[in-house]
Amino acid sequence: MYLIVGLGNPGRQYEATRHNMGFDVIDKLVEEYQIPQGGVKFNAMYGKGIIGGQHALLMKPLSYMNLSGGPVREMANYFKIDPETEMIVIYDDIDLDPGQLRIRKKGSAGGHNGIKNIIQELGTQKFVRIKVGVGAKPQGWDLADYVLGRFGSEDRKLVDEAQDRACKAVELILSDGPDAAMNEFNKKPGVV
């Protein structure tokens, strides 16, 4: 079974913000693959279903972004999931243009507090991640204000398309492995 984690913050005030990219992709996966909701366990919403021919556990930690690691570790331990080979984390990235995807098999937190906490709790940087670009913060803006803000209409369209591609990337990772997904999706949108 694979654990697919979408990062975000719980609560209506955070819906559709840049920082809730992971939550939004999980919601699309739930809808597209008709994943039944399992309720709440280990301070996370979750559901189980089949994606890409594999059993998948979809999860949205409810601990707020900076404390995502605890629920992820508890869920992985309970379901006997090896994070290094059976986990995907989906989250926002300010170093990528809006709508750009970047899939990695390992790496540092890159300044992302949710990933930093997951690495700390799991004791490893080796797990697959799908980063969805939200664009760089404008000069003079506070980072928290920027990532907790919402997209303009032009960027929103790019990000909606990226969320659909992120769902396809999850399916490809589960069916054919992360290398296949990296080859397919680690290019700028519109580049053939």
Side-chain angles (χ1 to χ4, degrees):
M1 179 163 21
Y2 282 81
L3 176 59
I4 302 164
V5 181
L7 297 186
N9 287 305
R12 292 185 68 92
Q13 70 269 37
Y14 299 110
E15 287 177 6
T17 61
R18 291 177 182 90
H19 224 21
N20 269 30
M21 189 58 59
F23 274 18
D24 292 347
V25 173
I26 292 290
D27 290 343
K28 283 196 182 234
L29 286 165
V30 164
E31 189 179 315
E32 189 165 327
Y33 297 96
Q34 298 167 5
I35 307 291
Q37 293 302 295
V40 175
K41 190 184 218 67
F42 308 122
N43 199 20
M45 291 175 61
Y46 77 101
K48 286 193 236 177
I50 305 283
I51 298 175
Q54 301 284 343
H55 289 275
L57 179 67
L58 275 58
M59 167 185 184
K60 294 183 351 185
L62 300 176
S63 56
Y64 290 95
M65 181 69 78
N66 298 356
L67 299 173
S68 300
V72 170
R73 178 181 39 77
E74 290 183 63
M75 195 76 76
N77 288 346
Y78 183 81
F79 287 100
K80 296 178 176 47
I81 287 164
D82 178 358
E84 294 191 358
T85 59
E86 300 169 324
M87 184 174 84
I88 302 168
V89 181
I90 305 163
Y91 59 101
D92 60 294
D93 191 323
I94 61 168
D95 293 327
L96 297 174
D97 293 337
Q100 189 178 352
L101 294 185
R102 175 85 28 85
I103 300 165
R104 293 276 184 259
K105 293 192 278 189
K106 62 182 179 182
S108 71
H112 195 286
N113 289 330
I115 294 297
K116 190 182 301 179
N117 191 247
I118 291 172
I119 289 170
Q120 184 181 330
E121 289 283 339
L122 296 178
T124 183
Q125 294 185 355
K126 287 186 190 165
F127 53 86
V128 174
R129 66 265 330 251
I130 300 174
K131 306 176 194 188
V132 183
V134 297
K137 81 173 178 67
Q139 192 169 352
W141 278 51
D142 176 71
L143 180 59
D145 289 343
Y146 179 70
V147 296
L148 296 177
R150 289 176 172 77
F151 296 98
S153 57
E154 196 174 301
D155 284 351
R156 180 82 250 175
K157 184 175 180 295
L158 294 171
V159 167
D160 286 344
E161 291 167 0
Q163 289 173 359
D164 291 336
R165 289 197 320 280
C167 290
K168 289 178 175 64
V170 166
E171 182 176 358
L172 192 56
I173 290 167
L174 268 52
S175 65
D176 294 359
D179 288 333
M182 288 165 71
N183 289 337
E184 178 72 24
F185 294 101
N186 279 1
K187 49 193 175 213
K188 288 199 175 195
V191 176
V192 181

